[in-house]
Amino acid sequence: MQIRRIVTGRDAGGKSIIASDAAPPRAVTFKHVPGLAAALLWETPARSMLGESGDPSISARSWVPPAGGSNLMLVTFPPDSVMVSPGFDPAAAGAEYMQLLPGLAEAFERDSPGMHTTDTVDYAVLLDGELHLELDGGVLTKLSPHDVVVQNGTRHAWRNRGDKAATVLFVLVGAAHA
């Protein structure tokens, strides 16, 4: 996944500057799920102060933000056919998820592949491709480029029934149940 991430900041005099212009340090490409890639583009820890130095995505322990925090992610979903192709190893793919997507990987259900629930409000924008949002009971909603989903901490999965990759920009905002 080739991504250019530009981060603004302030110099010692308070003037706005480009603090970073490079690939994000937390971009991962999966070996055991060909075509699956994800990038943690930024994290805003709870009660963060604007202008703090450093890159919080490097030290983020989880791909799911804490209550009051936020994460910005870009995810490319390969076609679902990848997961049923000859040579696909679900155990190896699961281990890779646990290693590369801590916090998020644990939210996935073993008995319902792809289904997961997180304590977040997610804003998802489909940038490219075609994707389906699956909710409880197998309810599917087809998404086209530039469709927006506000995902309010409900159980769901993303399904790519097409024949090419689909890329989604996600903003996850950590929340607590009322």
Side-chain angles (χ1 to χ4, degrees), residues 102-126:
L104 182 57
E106 293 86 348
F108 284 87
E109 301 172 14
R110 286 183 177 260
D111 296 335
S112 299
M115 296 299 286
H116 62 287
T117 308
T118 55
D119 291 336
T120 59
V121 174
D122 306 343
Y123 307 116
V125 181
L126 181 60

Side-chain angles (χ1 to χ4, degrees), residues 29-46:
T29 301
F30 288 70
K31 290 186 286 187
H32 298 289
V33 184
L36 179 61
L40 179 59
L41 300 171
W42 196 254
E43 177 175 87
T44 305

Side-chain angles (χ1 to χ4, degrees), residues 3 51 59 88 121 138 142 158:
I3 304 167
S59 60
F88 180 75
V121 174
K142 182 179 175 182
W158 300 101

Side-chain angles (χ1 to χ4, degrees), residues 66-92:
S70 67
N71 283 7
L72 174 62
M73 301 187 321
L74 193 65
V75 178
T76 298
F77 295 93
D80 288 352
S81 60
V82 166
M83 273 65 89
V84 295
S85 64
F88 180 75
D89 183 346

